[in-house]
Amino acid sequence: MAKPTSTAPAERVADPAPVPRAPGFGRRLLCAAYEFCLLFGVTFITNYLLLSLAQWRWPLDPLRLSILQAYTLCVIGAYFIYFWSRGGQTLAMKTWRIRLVGPGGARATLPQCCLRYAMLWWGLLPGSIVFAGTRNSLIAAAVFLGCTAFSWIWMWFDRDRQFFHDYILGTRLIQA
């Protein structure tokens, strides 16, 4: 009696997709420096437009200075959120081949991008509280920089080499 032969191909278990590597510390630092240069130009032009159109002159009174600072944070936020939510890369991230992705490698959602931007500035709150209590801007700046450095230090100890805010939100920076 002949053995029945199967015409179905042998099933193979697909290898899971390789997890893209996280960019190294040097690449992230250079990307951040380049981002700073680009943002200097963006904020210079937008702040110049605001000051010119509103006809504000230096020195600004405290209310106008606060408005200018809030406006600048909003402009920077619009820049980051727009690029992160559209393609996962700002102009500097494209240059240094770094991409922001959401959980599972999908594109980061708009709420994730908004929260990520807000978490980038989380050091402002403790720094502002210290400044309000001490009126010492050097101590407040040290607190802000310490809080900001925490995210970079976290990257060294995280097994996926992600920043603290990316760990919390489930987003990842990968090499594009």
Side-chain angles (χ1 to χ4, degrees):
M1 184 170 200
K3 264 186 165 180
T5 58
S6 173
T7 57
E11 291 185 34
R12 292 186 183 177
V13 177
D15 292 332
V19 177
R21 287 183 353 154
F25 179 77
R27 181 179 288 218
R28 291 179 194 214
L29 196 59
L30 289 169
C31 182
Y34 186 40
E35 201 78 74
F36 176 78
C37 293
L38 292 172
L39 284 172
F40 176 80
V42 169
T43 57
F44 180 85
I45 291 169
T46 56
N47 286 350
Y48 177 77
L49 287 173
L50 173 68
L51 293 171
S52 297
L53 293 174
Q55 297 183 354
W56 291 352
R57 302 286 181 249
W58 291 101
L60 295 178
D61 59 77
L63 176 63
R64 288 180 179 175
L65 184 60
S66 296
I67 291 170
L68 180 64
Q69 290 170 340
Y71 173 75
T72 303
L73 283 175
C74 289
V75 166
I76 293 171
Y79 169 84
F80 279 117
I81 292 167
Y82 174 79
F83 283 110
W84 286 340
S85 63
R86 300 267 309 193
Q89 293 178 300
T90 62
L91 299 174
M93 291 168 77
K94 285 180 183 179
T95 302
W96 288 98
R97 289 181 256 137
I98 298 173
R99 181 181 303 277
L100 175 70
V101 294
R107 186 166 47 177
T109 63
L110 184 62
Q112 285 174 325
C113 295
C114 292
L115 284 171
R116 188 173 196 269
Y117 177 71
M119 289 184 77
L120 288 175
W121 294 103
W122 78 278
L124 281 179
L125 182 61
S128 299
I129 292 170
V130 167
F131 181 74
T134 64
R135 293 288 181 207
N136 188 329
S137 57
L138 289 176
I139 295 173
V143 169
F144 170 70
L145 290 175
C147 291
T148 303
F150 172 77
S151 189
W152 286 80
I153 293 168
W154 176 275
M155 178 189 68
W156 288 99
F157 298 103
D158 184 58
R159 70 180 166 94
D160 295 327
R161 299 285 185 237
Q162 298 302 316
F163 289 125
F164 180 69
H165 47 272
D166 289 320
Y167 172 77
I168 295 293
L169 294 173
T171 54
R172 297 177 46 85
L173 287 178
I174 60 169
Q175 288 187 15

